[in-house]
Amino acid sequence: MKRLKVISLLGLSMALLLSFSGKLMEPVAAKKPNIIFILADDLGYGDVGFNGQTKIKTPHLDRLAAEGMSFRQHYAGSSVCGPSRAALLTGIHTAHATVRELSEWSLNGKPADLLLEDITVAEELKRAGYKTGIIGKWGLDEGGTTGNALAQGFDYFYGFRTHREAHHYYPAYLWKNNDKVLLPGNDCAHKVGTYSNDSFTSEALGFIQAHKAAPFFLYLPFTLPHNELTVPDDSKQPYLNLGWPERPMTVAHYHHDPDGNLAYAGMVSRLDRYVGQIMTELKKQGIDENTLVILSSDNGPGFDNGFFDSNGPYRGGKLQLYEGGIRVPFVARWPGHIKAGALSDHASAFWDFLPTACELAGVKPTTPIDGISYLPTLLGKPKAQREHEYFYWEVNEREGPIQAVLMGPWKGIKRYEKPFELYNLRDDEGETTDLSAKHPAIVAKIESFMTRTRTEHPEFPLTKRKALY
């Protein structure tokens, strides 16, 4: 008995010793990866080389795709910035979301802000020990209250708080956390001073350097290539004297450069340069292989008149719910985990990012969401991938309320005071042939679902309205 007791005490002492020395008896979990989500603004599906762009050069984005996985059917949260970004951050689509439009298109002009009860991906990742930062266009703090990025799980913020602030590339100020940082050398009208996205990149590099030792989540929403169309001359240089048609621009709210085609190409190329700088920094800091980098766009293109084929093979663009307005470029790179050069036809959307990040971090979403993690697809395990039964979008600007639902190959679009449209994307990805007359049962099913799944919101009814300011 004494011998057993001694062994027992020795075992307990050894266990305590191992515990206090940090050598736990249980297997140590793998190191959590850093996560960087780079979001372009109004970048079309066809604006990048890995999706077929030939006029604009995007070597760093193409390398990202060559070293990672591209999704061919990835959808934005909406066809306009605010609600799209809200879906990305909360995992909830516009049938149920707090933010379904921009503030000026709400019924009473109330700020379209995230609420304190909204749980963002940053809040989820903080629970898992991540340091979190947002650098660039936030656009979800129109009222200056609950939508503040620091109130939504981010440890650090630098950039534009509102979407209108982000309309200009040489702003008079930017925000650092809750402080307004004046930029006295900047002049929007004359386009002099510091180009805002150059500052975002510098801040992003600093954030990576400061947090290289701990898992971090960096949300990096650039404002390129959104109007206004302006970029420093060095980014336009490669496109001079190519015989392109000029596209004269009218200066009003936006202080465009004289030639829109040159400016647009230069803006996409400058975005590409920033991505290259980010990737170089990850290698320099020795964290390249433990960092998942994702790049996408908040909605379809808002500028192209067909010269660049910015929407690729798809119909429509920004503010529309045809594929060109919501199907966006998507590439993910994580060396040693994601197969290089992989292509996926898995249908996914912005609201899937939150559960994906949670799965990576080893936590479960706090509240019910609409998203499904696409981590199995990224890791090359398609048999483990759950699929969506449907996708839902709505937008209510200019053309009146529009709803769209995707169920398998069937895409239904309900436009204000217009006949219902039905397309089979498997046979007609360009949405050229309306099949609603041939398939009334499918139309009825989708229309019924649109009504059932949507929750009412006092500021975002499905009624025709004009912008309030």
Side-chain angles (χ1 to χ4, degrees):
M1 290 293 294
K2 287 182 179 180
R3 186 168 182 268
L4 286 174
K5 187 174 182 180
V6 169
I7 292 174
S8 213
L9 288 171
L10 284 172
L12 177 60
S13 298
M14 182 62 71
L16 288 171
L17 179 62
L18 287 172
S19 176
F20 286 128
S21 67
K23 297 178 181 179
L24 302 177
M25 299 299 288
E26 296 180 0
V28 178
K31 187 176 180 182
K32 295 171 184 176
N34 306 309
I35 303 170
I36 300 177
F37 197 109
I38 302 171
L39 187 66
D41 198 335
D42 289 8
L43 184 74
Y45 180 93
D47 275 329
V48 292
F50 64 84
N51 280 343
Q53 178 59 229
T54 58
K55 295 184 178 73
I56 306 173
K57 306 306 178 185
T58 57
H60 298 293
L61 298 181
D62 298 344
R63 182 177 179 182
L64 202 65
E67 295 177 352
M69 176 181 286
S70 301
F71 280 21
R72 291 188 274 205
Q73 194 176 2
H74 187 74
Y75 292 103
S78 180
S79 59
V80 70
C81 61
S84 188
R85 293 157 193 264
L88 175 72
L89 291 165
T90 65
I92 298 173
H93 58 59
T94 47
H96 319 297
T98 297
V99 179
R100 306 188 192 187
E101 295 297 336
L102 299 176
S103 299
E104 58 260 45
W105 292 93
S106 64
L107 185 63
N108 299 301
K110 291 185 178 180
D113 289 343
L114 292 177
L115 302 177
L116 291 179
E117 54 263 37
D118 291 318
I119 305 298
T120 69
V121 63
E123 291 175 280
E124 301 288 24
L125 290 176
K126 278 180 70 69
R127 291 196 295 117
Y130 278 69
K131 297 297 182 182
T132 60
I134 181 270
I135 297 170
K137 176 181 173 180
W138 175 241
L140 294 167
D141 188 18
E142 304 295 311
T145 55
T146 60
N148 188 300
L150 301 181
Q152 295 293 338
F154 288 96
D155 299 315
Y156 180 74
F157 166 59
Y158 181 85
F160 297 114
R161 290 171 64 169
T162 70
H163 83 279
R164 280 192 171 270
E165 288 174 324
H167 283 185
H168 301 296
Y169 285 86
Y170 295 92
Y173 62 88
L174 291 167
W175 292 93
K176 178 174 285 190
N177 296 324
N178 288 321
D179 297 322
K180 184 180 286 188
V181 179
L182 298 179
L183 303 172
N186 278 26
D187 186 328
C188 286
H190 296 93
K191 289 168 284 191
V192 296
T194 302
Y195 196 67
S196 59
N197 286 252
D198 288 356
S199 295
F200 299 156
T201 305
S202 295
E203 287 287 326
L205 298 179
F207 184 91
I208 291 169
Q209 294 160 10
H211 299 291
K212 62 183 179 181
F216 66 80
F217 167 51
L218 174 59
Y219 174 40
L220 188 51
F222 290 107
T223 59
L224 295 159
H226 188 287
N227 285 344
E228 62 197 1
L229 298 183
T230 184
V231 71
D233 288 341
D234 62 316
S235 289
K236 291 184 281 190
Q237 190 67 34
Y239 303 106
L240 294 173
N241 305 316
L242 296 181
W244 286 3
E246 291 187 6
R247 186 170 182 183
M249 303 300 292
T250 301
V251 174
H253 170 69
Y254 294 115
H255 302 291
H256 299 298
D257 289 351
D259 186 344
N261 284 339
L262 278 179
Y264 190 79
M267 292 170 83
V268 175
S269 286
R270 203 169 190 88
L271 171 67
D272 181 78
R273 180 198 300 181
Y274 297 146
V275 172
Q277 291 175 300
I278 296 297
M279 302 311 296
T280 297
E281 190 64 33
L282 293 176
K283 291 183 175 67
K284 180 181 177 181
Q285 299 301 329
I287 57 175
D288 176 61
E289 294 189 356
N290 194 47
T291 303
L292 169 65
V293 177
I294 296 176
L295 178 134
S296 193
S297 176
D298 64 345
N299 47 250
F303 165 78
D304 189 27
N305 62 352
F307 179 68
F308 293 113
D309 290 324
S310 291
N311 54 3
Y314 304 112
R315 176 182 178 183
K318 183 176 181 177
L319 298 178
Q320 298 178 321
L321 295 183
Y322 297 115
E323 292 292 285
I326 51 178
R327 193 183 293 215
V328 290
F330 179 97
V331 60
R333 177 190 180 275
W334 186 15
H337 300 272
I338 297 175
K339 183 180 178 181
L343 293 172
S344 175
D345 290 319
H346 171 62
S348 57
F350 270 22
W351 47 92
D352 296 329
F353 173 60
L354 184 147
T356 303
C358 283
E359 187 172 359
L360 278 166
V363 296
K364 293 184 178 180
T366 303
T367 57
I369 57 171
D370 296 310
I372 296 174
S373 170
Y374 45 69
L375 185 60
T377 294
L378 295 181
L379 299 181
K381 301 175 181 179
K383 292 183 179 179
Q385 180 64 62
R386 291 172 53 216
E387 302 287 341
H388 283 282
E389 294 181 11
Y390 72 92
F391 295 86
Y392 177 96
W393 302 268
E394 67 180 58
V395 66
N396 195 352
E397 291 191 25
R398 300 181 188 174
E399 297 184 17
I402 309 172
Q403 293 172 279
V405 164
L406 178 64
M407 286 184 175
W410 295 104
K411 170 93 171 284
I413 298 178
K414 186 176 183 180
R415 301 169 63 197
Y416 182 71
E417 295 184 343
K418 301 285 185 181
F420 193 93
E421 301 170 37
L422 181 69
Y423 302 96
N424 187 324
L425 297 186
R426 184 165 50 208
D427 303 327
D428 178 26
E429 65 178 6
E431 295 168 294
T432 61
T433 305
D434 180 5
L435 300 176
S436 58
K438 293 184 178 181
H439 299 280
I442 295 174
V443 169
K445 179 180 179 180
I446 292 178
E447 281 196 295
S448 174
F449 177 78
M450 284 179 175
T451 301
R452 293 196 321 272
T453 194
R454 187 179 191 274
T455 58
E456 291 298 324
H457 191 295
E459 286 298 314
F460 307 113
L462 292 175
T463 58
K464 179 74 172 180
R465 50 187 182 269
K466 296 181 180 180
L468 295 178
Y469 48 88

